[in-house]
Amino acid sequence: KDLSSMGGGLTTGYDSLDFYCRIPEGALTIIAGRPGHGKTTLLLNMLLNMVRRHEDRAFYFFSYEEAARALAIKAIMLMAGKVLNAEFNFRRYMDYLKEKRGSERAIETAVKEYEKYTASGRLCIVDRRYKAEGLSQVIGSLARSRKPGAFFVDYIQKIPLDRPQGQRYLDIKEASALLLDMAVQENVSVILGAQLRREGSQPKTGKKPASWKPRLEDLRESGDIEQDANLVLALVDERKQAEEEEDRVSQESRGKLNIYILKNRVGKEGASVRLSWNKPVFQLKDIAKTEKEPWA
């Protein structure tokens, strides 16, 4: 009976990544990256991929970093895939959605699709900063009210406790334990964003900057949360990594996001995949699909 209720995990929407792993149910998944390396972007892309693929499930995104309205605009940009201004695209979308509706077909289609998901309750973005205890209870309540897909939390180092323990890594460890307990109890997927340390744990070797690879111990103030997770993915934006190493800023609108599978309890560890990143619209795609599909 227990085995019959176990799923094979949720697909991410990226064939290259799904080949190696799935998002486990009844467990924690950690998606970690340094600031500006695509953590929130990947979480948002995966959220929308899953909403599209799993029509009978509801998905929730709890943001501790950005307002829900800002994430809604990013979601519409991602679905539309339309670049209005490569340098100031978010601002142009805000202007369009407030004042110039009707002239951009791709954006109007994306708005209707987004409204369909939110009106049906299959997509919910929340920016209330629940404390860890409250967040765990809310996830449990939502999981019991309808068939859930996954709960995204961006990100764990931002979640406060009712009773802080005085040391930040202990607070993070406690928050992770509470969310793990709820994931197991309700057999749901909880996907946690997390930050990697700003400084790399490995000494510089003189190799090109993109050769730096993250490790589990790079989880900043982690409180050993990697031990709670079934799956840990770490992100490195190749171009931003080079910029940080060379102390420069690039205005390139496209890049590559490397995803490293640092931990995988039910599959292959140590593998990595690369996604194509269209930064003005926050859009990530399988590289093989870049020229074939408007949105993966």
Side-chain angles (χ1 to χ4, degrees):
K1 183 177 178 181
D2 286 340
L3 287 172
S4 68
S5 67
M6 290 180 64
L10 300 173
T11 57
T12 66
Y14 299 107
D15 292 342
S16 57
L17 186 57
D18 291 336
F19 178 79
Y20 294 108
C21 61
R22 300 292 174 90
I23 303 299
E25 296 171 281
L28 297 185
T29 293
I30 293 175
I31 296 179
R34 290 160 65 183
H37 279 253
K39 169 178 51 66
T40 302
T41 297
L42 180 59
L43 290 171
L44 193 58
N45 274 262
M46 286 175 56
L47 170 72
L48 293 172
N49 286 346
M50 289 180 182
V51 170
R52 278 185 158 181
R53 290 186 172 215
H54 303 279
E55 296 182 356
D56 61 334
R57 299 194 181 199
F59 294 84
Y60 304 89
F61 193 106
F62 294 88
S63 175
Y64 285 78
E65 195 168 33
E66 293 187 74
R69 57 185 176 272
L71 290 170
I73 294 172
K74 288 185 177 182
I76 291 168
M77 294 170 68
L78 198 165
M79 290 188 286
K82 175 77 174 181
V83 178
L84 300 178
N85 182 297
E87 190 173 358
F88 303 107
N89 209 36
F90 185 87
R91 188 184 305 170
R92 294 294 177 265
Y93 264 77
M94 287 184 61
D95 294 341
Y96 174 84
L97 293 170
K98 287 192 293 186
E99 303 170 2
K100 304 175 183 179
R101 293 292 302 274
S103 60
E104 294 288 347
R105 184 174 180 180
I107 300 177
E108 295 301 320
T109 299
V111 169
K112 289 180 180 179
E113 185 177 10
Y114 182 81
E115 289 177 339
K116 179 182 72 172
Y117 296 148
T118 56
S120 66
R122 292 210 307 112
L123 171 61
C124 184
I125 298 176
V126 182
D127 57 9
R128 179 175 174 179
R129 295 171 60 85
Y130 290 101
K131 294 182 179 179
E133 297 84 351
L135 177 61
S136 176
Q137 293 172 5
V138 168
I139 289 175
S141 177
L142 291 171
R144 292 185 290 270
S145 65
R146 64 179 301 171
K147 187 175 182 179
F151 296 89
F152 293 77
V153 181
D154 188 26
Y155 54 95
I156 189 168
Q157 282 97 341
K158 290 275 189 176
I159 302 175
L161 287 179
D162 275 336
R163 298 185 181 88
Q165 301 187 31
Q167 298 185 60
R168 188 62 190 133
Y169 82 94
L170 292 176
D171 292 348
I172 296 168
K173 186 174 183 177
E174 177 65 17
S176 176
L178 286 167
L179 294 172
L180 174 59
D181 287 346
M182 187 54 65
V184 173
Q185 179 180 329
E186 299 298 336
N187 193 37
V188 295
S189 300
V190 177
I191 304 170
L192 300 175
Q195 279 201 5
L196 294 175
R197 289 189 295 178
R198 290 179 185 272
E199 61 281 352
S201 62
Q202 303 136 53
K204 295 182 180 180
T205 61
K207 298 180 180 180
K208 60 181 181 179
S211 65
W212 180 85
K213 294 182 180 180
R215 302 188 295 188
L216 281 175
E217 53 264 40
D218 291 329
L219 280 167
R220 179 165 53 149
E221 300 175 321
S222 68
D224 300 324
I225 58 173
E226 73 279 1
Q227 296 180 18
D228 291 341
N230 275 34
L231 179 66
V232 179
L233 307 178
L235 315 179
V236 176
D237 174 357
E238 292 182 0
R239 181 167 286 113
K240 187 167 182 63
Q241 178 70 26
E243 292 172 3
E244 291 171 349
E245 293 287 342
E246 299 170 12
D247 194 24
R248 62 181 177 82
V249 177
S250 170
Q251 299 300 322
E252 294 288 339
S253 62
R254 291 182 178 269
K256 297 290 188 298
L257 182 67
N258 286 341
I259 303 177
Y260 296 90
I261 303 173
L262 300 187
K263 181 179 180 181
N264 187 6
R265 282 182 175 165
V266 295
K268 183 178 177 59
E269 295 179 353
S272 65
V273 302
R274 299 171 80 213
L275 300 179
S276 174
W277 190 352
N278 187 353
K279 295 188 176 185
V281 290
F282 308 100
Q283 196 177 69
L284 293 167
K285 300 180 183 179
D286 275 311
I287 291 179
K289 294 185 177 182
T290 301
E291 302 300 328
K292 298 178 182 179
E293 297 182 4
W295 180 56

